[in-house]
Amino acid sequence: MADESVPPPPSAEHPLRVAVVGAGPAGIFAADALTRQSEIPVAVDLIDRLPTPFGLVRHGIAPDHPKMRAIRDTLHRSLDHPLVRFVGNVEVGTDITLDELRHHVDAVVYTYGAALDRHLGIEGEDLPGSLAATDVVSWYCGHPDADRAGVEAALAGVRSVVVIGVGNVALDVGRVLARTPEELEPTDMPQHVLDALAATEVEEVTVLGRRGPAQATFTTQELRELGELARATVLVDPAELVLDADAEERAAADRGVARNLAVLREWSQHRPEPGHARLRLRFYRRPVRLLGEDRVTGVEVERTAVDGDGRAMGTGELEVIPADLVVRSVGYLGTPLPGLPVDERSGTVPNEAGRVLRDGRPSPGEYVAGWIKRGPSGVVGHNKHDARETVAGLLADAGDGTLRVRGPVDDLVRTLQARGAEPVLLEDWRAIDAAEQALGATRGRARTTLHERETLLAAVRAAAGR
Ligand code: NAP
């Protein structure tokens, strides 16, 4: 006779219920990996605090990169899977606690990314006119939580900008600020963003690396694009591209670095062009403090030299780079979810190949994937492999009985609705999608992003006749 105290293994009738927290690329790839296999029957709730899916694909990839954003179509196919239920507009920690969520499902995969900006820890960092790149990106992508007033106040009247950091986000911000209104016009940026950018006549953008060109983390494709702007000229100081013999040899051995150097060396021949904005890429400059009384007027930098291990060493030589706006683009940081351990320094959840560790031991039923697992690095595609690794661990745990179907529980969406939350399901998202396309069509665009939570929810309610 079967022992009734031992829950049964997952079956088609009683599948393993998995909640994925965060419907960005990592979460969608995790849902995809869970539903692509047929050995362990699963049902996935893909939860997001926003009423919209796609995470940084919607609110991170620059809107002037439509080809990159087209990955939405691929991600959408995973949302359409009958075993995946999108549950947007639900914040874990607010609408439902982590303990309550865990009671509803047999396993949770945390894929909520890294939303905070890293700090420089220097004087003047919080002056008006100093913005985190995360804030600028959220604003131009139409994120509902963007600080619209703060970003637009900082942008007003700006002529010269310093972007600190030489990663792809720094290039995104520098490029968007240097684009003409005509170049941005076809994008899905909200109209108020297009208007604010059109009113900003940026004459100079300096993108600042604290180490050398061989240590920059931007990728060649993104770098090259700066050279294709309609009314901006990229300027590079040839003296900053001179490497000693050892460094040159190391640079040549790394294809990415060698390609970047080749592009930069070509640009070092450029001269400023009349009527063009100047987009300067500068290296070996470490920010020391932001200058200004009531608002930023410049950045004091110290010249550096890079040692054989790639570390920046200060030389004591100081310089001031004037700027009306400083954008700090020095990386993202993961935040804790109430009840979940996060290592403060790395901003990641302690884990072993995706199994969450509590007090150094795997915590049964808890997994992690994406930036909150490995830190804020890599392009969208990297999350696929990452999510697969995590899901392989989860399925192995289900296969060996570590994970069991815990028996009947109330439906998550019904529980949320009963307590007054307003979960946004797939058909609701389709209504938002249609509303954005209709808004875009009024100005001949494919789409215009709806940037306010209330407007997004109004589109849902209108379609549902509520
Ligand atoms: P990132 O590539 O890690 O770049 C951070 C930059 O900040 C580095 O240049 C770093 O310099 C600098 N930095 C850090 N601390 C600093 C400090 N205290 N002072 C001065 N500089 C400092 O990060 P990201 O640009 O935020 O991008 C995050 C991820 O998203 C990356 O993997 C990126 O490739 C990806 N992404 C891709 C695309 C695309 O494919 N188009 C677009 C956007 C983002 P050090 O190296 O010296 O630390």
Side-chain angles (χ1 to χ4, degrees):
M1 227 173 105
D3 178 354
E4 297 203 346
S5 63
V6 178
S11 63
E13 202 187 336
H14 297 292
L16 191 79
R17 286 157 309 198
V18 184
V20 177
V21 180
I28 296 180
F29 286 135
D32 187 65
L34 282 163
T35 50
R36 253 173 205 271
Q37 53 81 40
S38 50
E39 250 159 63
I40 312 275
V42 293
V44 180
D45 278 332
L46 182 57
I47 302 171
D48 204 287
R49 70 189 187 86
L50 293 181
T52 52
F54 306 133
L56 282 183
V57 166
R58 179 178 165 98
H59 292 124
I61 295 182
D64 64 335
H65 274 167
K67 281 200 190 126
M68 236 177 251
R69 292 188 138 214
I71 191 162
R72 278 160 87 130
D73 299 340
T74 311
L75 297 177
H76 216 295
R77 283 199 281 280
S78 309
L79 287 186
D80 287 334
H81 195 289
L83 296 176
V84 177
R85 179 168 65 167
F86 173 64
V87 186
N89 199 34
V90 169
E91 184 156 29
V92 176
T94 309
D95 295 309
I96 185 165
T97 67
L98 199 51
D99 278 350
E100 288 169 329
L101 177 64
R102 294 197 62 197
H103 167 78
H104 272 278
V105 294
D106 305 307
V108 182
V109 187
Y110 307 105
T111 57
Y112 62 88
L116 285 185
D117 59 295
R118 277 192 182 275
H119 286 248
L120 285 168
I122 61 172
E123 192 186 322
E125 185 166 10
D126 298 322
L127 275 172
S130 160
L131 294 175
T134 47
D135 288 337
V136 180
V137 171
S138 290
W139 171 74
Y140 66 53
C141 289
H143 192 296
D145 298 339
D147 175 14
R148 177 177 168 186
V151 173
E152 289 177 18
L155 259 186
V158 159
R159 293 273 186 273
S160 55
V161 183
V162 167
V163 183
I164 298 175
V166 279
N168 280 330
V169 172
L171 296 196
D172 278 350
V173 171
R175 187 185 69 250
V176 165
L177 292 176
R179 283 222 191 258
T180 61
E182 295 73 27
E183 286 175 292
L184 296 176
E185 171 63 27
T187 69
D188 61 15
M189 287 179 176
Q191 190 58 44
H192 67 88
V193 172
L194 292 170
D195 293 342
L197 289 171
T200 311
E201 288 172 35
V202 172
E203 292 163 1
E204 179 140 330
V205 179
T206 303
V207 180
L208 204 63
R210 64 174 166 179
R211 299 190 288 157
Q215 287 81 33
T217 51
F218 47 58
T219 40
T220 312
Q221 193 184 339
E222 283 61 38
L223 180 65
R224 275 209 188 101
E225 207 185 339
L226 296 183
E228 294 159 10
L229 302 188
R231 221 182 309 137
T233 305
V234 190
L235 301 171
V236 187
D237 181 350
E240 292 179 2
L241 303 178
V242 176
L243 303 180
D244 65 33
D246 275 359
E248 193 68 66
E249 201 176 311
R250 277 195 302 274
D254 183 323
R255 278 173 50 200
V257 172
R259 277 197 299 254
N260 284 351
L261 276 172
V263 174
L264 293 167
R265 285 181 173 146
E266 193 187 317
W267 288 344
S268 67
Q269 310 299 316
H270 285 179
R271 296 282 161 270
E273 279 185 54
H276 273 209
R278 297 173 296 279
L279 221 171
R280 291 187 194 277
L281 296 177
R282 296 201 58 192
F283 300 97
Y284 304 107
R285 298 293 184 284
R286 181 179 77 86
V288 176
R289 61 189 172 122
L290 305 196
L291 305 171
E293 296 278 316
D294 312 323
R295 87 164 270 144
V296 160
T297 55
V299 186
E300 186 173 67
V301 296
E302 180 185 13
R303 196 192 162 100
T304 63
V306 169
D307 70 10
D309 295 325
R311 277 182 308 224
M313 320 290 280
T315 63
E317 189 185 317
L318 299 175
E319 174 189 346
V320 170
I321 305 177
D324 315 315
L325 173 69
V326 174
V327 182
R328 309 172 322 259
S329 181
V330 296
Y332 287 71
L333 193 64
T335 48
L337 195 72
L340 187 67
V342 166
D343 177 76
E344 273 185 27
R345 238 174 58 84
S346 64
T348 56
V349 172
N351 73 91
E352 220 168 61
R355 288 185 176 93
V356 171
L357 301 178
R358 289 188 187 260
D359 301 322
R361 292 210 190 85
S363 165
E366 289 191 292
Y367 304 84
V368 65
W371 277 9
I372 196 64
K373 169 186 176 186
R374 66 173 197 279
S377 68
V379 294
V380 172
H382 284 110
N383 293 300
K384 195 166 194 171
H385 170 77
D386 183 324
R388 277 191 189 147
E389 179 193 59
T390 296
V391 168
L394 188 158
L395 294 172
D397 291 350
D400 71 12
T402 308
L403 269 184
R404 288 273 174 169
V405 177
R406 262 184 287 169
V409 284
D410 295 337
D411 178 66
L412 175 66
V413 168
R414 272 202 301 274
T415 303
L416 286 161
Q417 283 166 337
R419 58 172 66 172
E422 202 177 346
V424 166
L425 306 183
L426 187 62
E427 58 272 28
D428 303 326
W429 152 245
R430 287 194 205 286
I432 294 174
D433 198 25
E436 291 194 332
Q437 292 178 38
L439 180 62
T442 62
R443 299 227 188 194
R445 302 174 190 139
R447 161 192 307 276
T448 292
T449 301
L450 294 176
H451 64 281
E452 283 168 323
R453 197 178 278 265
E454 271 315 303
T455 321
L456 292 161
L457 294 178
V460 171
R461 292 177 196 134
R466 276 184 256 142

